[in-house]
Amino acid sequence: MGRRGRHRFRLHHRRRAIQGGLRLYARQHARVPVVTALPAPPAIQIAGVALPRLAVVVPARNRRDSLPRTMASVLCSQRADIELVVIDDGSTDGTESYLASVDDARLAWRRLPQAVGANRARNEGAALSRAPLIAFLDSDDAFRPDRIDRLIGFFDENPGIDCTIDGFRDISANVERVHQLPVTTPDPEKLRQLLLCHCIPLTNSTLTIRRSAFIGIGGYDPELRRHQDRELLLRLVGQRHIAFGAATDVLKYRSGNSMSRTHSGYIAGLDDLVARCPDYRSNGYESILSYLTLRGALKAAAQGHFRVALDEVKAWRRARNLPGGLHVLPGYFVGRRKRRVLERGLGQVLATTSAE
């Protein structure tokens, strides 16, 4: 079986797994632990709400300290027609006990006996949820109070849009940096190019997608540990309508164990992404790949993380899908110039803030 055949095989089975999870949830819903309401729950009435309008899916792995803030940012809403779905990905820090202590009927949660990774946990959460609209939220991030109302209103007013990418506020070491997307969403081919060249600042917590679209593309790739949001969007673009959001109502906290904060493992993650995206092997992307390949190691070295930089160079030498040889260095500068031209074409600089 060729690479494309294996990709279609994985995609088919991810679709079936998500659809099977939805059917299983419908049969077993009464047995799912449903808890909820934080210390000062809002005065709401939930009786008679047959189907939530929006689900917020949170994967959590040993985030007992940050999870209350994340959940509170959702459950502070006075809407009864939402659901918060938390998947405890085999945590060992008391996350399960905390979830069991929360009393709010809008919360559903499930504990996985062993860690399976954030992408599998997100897919589990999507299968456990019921709403036609799914917003993802990482367990160390938070929503601003008006985000849920805005998302429901936006998708009601725009039935032809299947997914939105919003801006966010990046908070680290008492510094806040705002990343706002352009008002106009590029056409699908330009958007694909921007995604491939890493010109759009991304975090999973800014993605909201209709359930039908999420199931249609097979959900998140469970084997991918980095670039999950980018890979999901690259499968979605061209098939469904994606729109930029004008808001920056997601708070991205850079905690010590955030995947996006460390450069370690970046090269292996990029190698996996390129293996899944045939577009990278077309003309015009070799210099972009040279730039993307080297920048993680260069950033690590510039920040004094020399051991990480050395490990990344070793990973580059093992990579099967990334450019190699001496031409990578001049390709780095060519790729950097190409990327800056693309960014200027959007009308503002949108450099990513993660370690990718």
Side-chain angles (χ1 to χ4, degrees):
M1 185 182 295
R3 180 180 287 120
R4 289 180 183 270
R6 290 195 299 272
H7 179 71
R8 287 196 294 269
F9 180 80
R10 289 197 302 266
L11 180 61
H12 171 72
H13 281 274
R14 285 204 301 274
R15 281 201 195 104
R16 294 193 62 182
I18 292 174
Q19 291 167 338
L22 290 168
R23 290 193 294 269
L24 180 63
Y25 179 68
R27 293 196 302 268
Q28 298 183 340
H29 179 248
R31 299 203 300 272
V32 174
V34 178
V35 268
T36 275
L38 291 178
I44 60 173
Q45 296 293 324
I46 64 169
V49 176
L51 186 69
R53 303 281 304 283
L54 178 142
V56 180
V57 172
V58 178
R61 166 69 178 168
N62 289 337
R63 290 285 174 77
R64 173 63 181 84
D65 291 341
S66 62
L67 188 59
R69 177 185 62 199
T70 299
M71 291 173 57
S73 75
V74 177
L75 297 177
C76 68
S77 170
Q78 296 199 19
R79 300 189 69 112
D81 56 353
I82 62 171
E83 59 181 339
L84 173 62
V85 180
V86 180
I87 302 298
D88 177 6
D89 188 20
S91 297
T92 58
D93 66 345
T95 293
E96 180 182 20
S97 298
Y98 171 71
L99 289 169
S101 73
V102 179
D103 179 24
D104 189 311
R106 297 169 294 174
L107 171 66
W109 62 275
R110 173 176 292 163
R111 172 175 168 77
L112 304 179
Q114 59 184 15
V116 297
N119 276 2
R120 289 183 187 272
R122 291 185 182 103
N123 289 345
E124 287 276 346
L128 184 62
S129 69
R130 297 177 292 153
L133 193 60
I134 303 171
F136 293 97
L137 179 61
D138 286 349
S139 55
D140 54 351
D141 296 342
F143 285 169
R144 290 177 68 93
D146 57 348
R147 177 167 172 79
I148 289 175
D149 285 339
R150 184 185 65 79
L151 287 174
I152 291 174
F154 178 86
F155 279 91
D156 281 351
E157 294 169 6
N158 297 274
I161 292 177
D162 297 294
C163 176
T164 58
I165 311 169
D166 286 305
F168 60 98
R169 297 173 180 270
D170 191 357
I171 302 171
S172 176
N174 299 319
V175 175
E176 181 173 319
R177 185 179 179 188
V178 179
H179 299 272
Q180 190 163 12
L181 298 183
V183 175
T184 302
T185 304
D187 63 70
E189 282 308 308
K190 175 61 72 172
L191 179 56
R192 179 185 297 277
Q193 184 183 27
L194 293 170
L195 289 167
L196 288 166
C197 295
H198 295 218
C199 292
I200 301 170
L202 291 177
T203 175
N204 284 289
S205 299
T206 64
L207 301 187
T208 306
I209 185 170
R210 294 190 191 274
R211 173 182 297 276
S212 58
F214 186 75
I215 293 174
I217 62 168
Y220 280 96
D221 186 330
E223 306 301 327
L224 201 61
R225 289 184 56 81
R226 291 245 187 185
H227 311 287
Q228 307 102 319
D229 41 15
R230 191 175 311 279
E231 192 273 339
L232 179 84
L233 291 167
L234 283 168
R235 280 185 282 125
L236 191 65
V237 69
Q239 299 184 40
R240 300 284 188 148
H241 189 178
I242 301 174
F244 286 165
T248 55
D249 46 11
V250 172
L251 305 179
K252 178 70 179 175
Y253 292 98
R254 302 288 179 175
S255 59
N257 60 347
S258 292
M259 178 69 74
S260 55
R261 187 171 181 174
T262 175
H263 300 284
S264 180
Y266 165 77
I267 292 291
L270 182 63
D271 191 41
D272 287 341
L273 175 68
V274 173
R276 287 161 169 78
C277 298
D279 288 339
Y280 277 118
R281 288 180 282 279
S282 62
N283 290 334
Y285 284 104
E286 185 172 1
S287 62
I288 291 291
L289 276 181
S290 294
Y291 167 74
L292 295 174
T293 298
L294 289 184
R295 72 169 180 170
L298 291 176
K299 281 185 178 181
Q303 295 172 6
H305 305 306
F306 299 112
R307 181 63 179 270
V308 172
L310 180 59
D311 288 342
E312 290 300 283
V313 170
K314 292 178 179 178
W316 171 39
R317 296 182 65 180
R318 294 192 299 268
R320 302 178 61 183
N321 303 285
L322 301 179
L326 296 177
H327 65 282
V328 172
L329 187 58
Y332 168 87
F333 294 103
V334 174
R336 186 172 67 174
R337 285 196 298 271
K338 284 185 177 181
R339 187 168 174 271
R340 287 179 175 174
V341 169
L342 286 171
E343 289 174 343
R344 285 196 294 269
L346 287 173
Q348 63 189 86
V349 176
L350 295 172
T352 56
T353 59
S354 71
E356 63 179 25

